[in-house]
Amino acid sequence: MTISLESPLGGEGRESRQRLKRRLLRCGGFISQMARNPLTAIGGGIVLLLLIVALFAPWIAPYHPLIQNLDQALSPPSARHWFGTDEFGRDIFSRLVYGSRITIYIVLLVSLTVGPLGLLLGVSAGYFGGKVDTVLMRVTDIFISFPSLVLALAFVAALGPGLEHVVIAITLTAWPPIARLARAETLSLRQADFVSAVRLQGASPLRVLWRHIVPLCLPSVIIRITMNMAGIILTAAGLGFLGLGAQPPEPEWGAMISSGRSYMMECWWVVTIPGLAILINSLAFNFLGDGLRDILDPRSE
């Protein structure tokens, strides 16, 4: 007769370690899959660099982004000012570094708002159908019928200039494609055998949606949100260029291009450098979205 001296707590500890190990292996496999695609790896690297720069901006920027030095106004790129200075003598590199915080703030806040909103409306319309589907999709069609930038301009004009109003305006224009995607995914899932089995077991519609349909719609929604981030950056930059976004002297990239366009023929760096920052980061999010689609979407295999 043998007596096990192993305590239940030890067994639970082993299980938790095994779960952690499985998650780490899954995460490592996900990263290795992304690294196989050069464009995805480049896009992910640039996005990661953007996050690091935004997080450590006070230690990376050599100058304060708002302090003016008129003696150094419109200085070309040099060892002292890597990307030159603007019309007020402010270091453009430092303003780009701090401007990355504004860009990340807009992208993350819009994505975290648009994702749940579009997913909720889309799965509700696809699952319940009937009048619910008709009403929600007609509202969605109204929003989609307008170009996103024009609609965002209308909302910002109604709300007034400001960073928070830009976030609200972009959110109101970015949710319809996600809702349409979630609805299409739900329509293909609601008649599946496993959903019918769950209904027969007495599960409520809310439980079916939350536990079974929403998790299956999430990969497609995440991919769509990631690819929308490039459009969010461009829309925010466009609103900033028109003076409707972050207000001076905030170092928003679109506003930097707007303030420097009067000097662009003689001082190319004032406009070119912020424009390149917008271009590179928009491409990075597109590359990352393509890679996530190849990994998360089983139909792409």
Side-chain angles (χ1 to χ4, degrees):
M1 180 177 178
T2 58
I3 299 176
S4 176
L5 298 178
E6 183 181 333
S7 66
L9 293 177
E12 291 179 3
R14 259 206 318 275
E15 280 185 15
S16 63
R17 287 194 297 270
Q18 289 175 356
R19 283 198 299 268
L20 178 60
K21 185 178 180 181
R22 284 196 297 268
R23 289 174 183 172
L24 291 176
L25 289 174
R26 195 179 300 119
C27 182
F30 181 79
I31 294 174
S32 65
Q33 280 183 297
M34 291 185 63
R36 290 173 195 163
N37 188 330
L39 290 179
T40 304
I42 292 172
I46 293 174
V47 171
L48 180 61
L49 179 63
L50 178 66
L51 292 172
I52 293 173
V53 168
L55 185 61
F56 297 102
W59 295 274
I60 295 174
Y63 300 94
H64 194 281
L66 305 182
I67 294 179
Q68 301 180 9
N69 184 4
L70 296 179
D71 294 336
Q72 297 291 326
L74 298 176
S75 298
S78 62
R80 184 176 181 182
H81 300 284
W82 295 349
F83 294 160
T85 61
D86 63 7
E87 67 273 21
F88 296 108
R90 298 173 297 195
D91 183 65
I92 292 179
F93 174 73
S94 300
R95 289 178 64 77
L96 282 179
V97 169
Y98 275 89
S100 64
R101 289 187 160 189
I102 298 176
T103 299
I104 290 295
Y105 171 79
I106 295 174
V107 168
L108 289 182
L109 198 55
V110 170
S111 300
L112 292 175
T113 308
V114 162
L117 177 62
L119 185 61
L120 173 64
L121 296 178
V123 298
S124 299
Y127 184 79
F128 294 107
K131 293 182 179 179
V132 175
D133 184 27
T134 301
V135 172
L136 291 179
M137 287 302 103
R138 294 302 75 78
V139 173
T140 303
D141 291 339
I142 292 172
F143 278 86
I144 290 180
S145 63
F146 294 95
S148 59
L149 181 57
V150 174
L151 195 57
L153 282 171
F155 282 125
V156 174
L159 296 172
L163 197 57
E164 292 76 15
H165 295 166
V166 167
V167 172
I168 296 173
I170 298 176
T171 299
L172 292 174
T173 60
W175 67 265
I178 297 174
R180 294 293 293 268
L181 175 64
R183 174 182 178 270
E185 294 280 342
T186 305
L187 287 175
S188 65
L189 291 171
R190 71 177 183 178
Q191 300 300 332
D193 292 339
F194 72 93
V195 174
S196 301
V198 171
R199 285 202 206 100
L200 290 174
Q201 292 175 0
S204 64
L206 183 61
R207 182 178 178 82
V208 173
L209 286 174
W210 180 251
R211 295 293 300 274
H212 302 281
I213 292 181
V214 168
L216 293 175
C217 294
L218 273 179
S220 299
V221 171
I222 291 172
I223 294 167
R224 180 71 188 193
I225 290 174
T226 305
M227 300 190 75
N228 277 359
M229 288 179 179
I232 294 171
I233 292 175
L234 293 174
T235 303
L239 294 174
F241 180 84
L242 296 173
L244 299 174
Q247 297 300 295
E250 291 296 325
E252 199 273 326
W253 294 347
M256 290 172 64
I257 296 176
S258 178
S259 63
R261 70 183 187 274
S262 302
Y263 312 96
M264 61 183 297
M265 301 306 296
E266 300 83 11
C267 307
W268 56 268
W269 58 88
V270 179
V271 172
T272 303
I273 300 299
L276 285 176
I278 296 171
L279 173 64
I280 291 171
N281 285 282
S282 300
L283 285 175
F285 279 110
N286 276 329
F287 291 156
L288 182 60
D290 286 337
L292 289 176
R293 180 187 59 196
D294 295 338
I295 295 171
L296 296 177
D297 189 357
R299 290 168 296 187
S300 64
E301 296 179 358

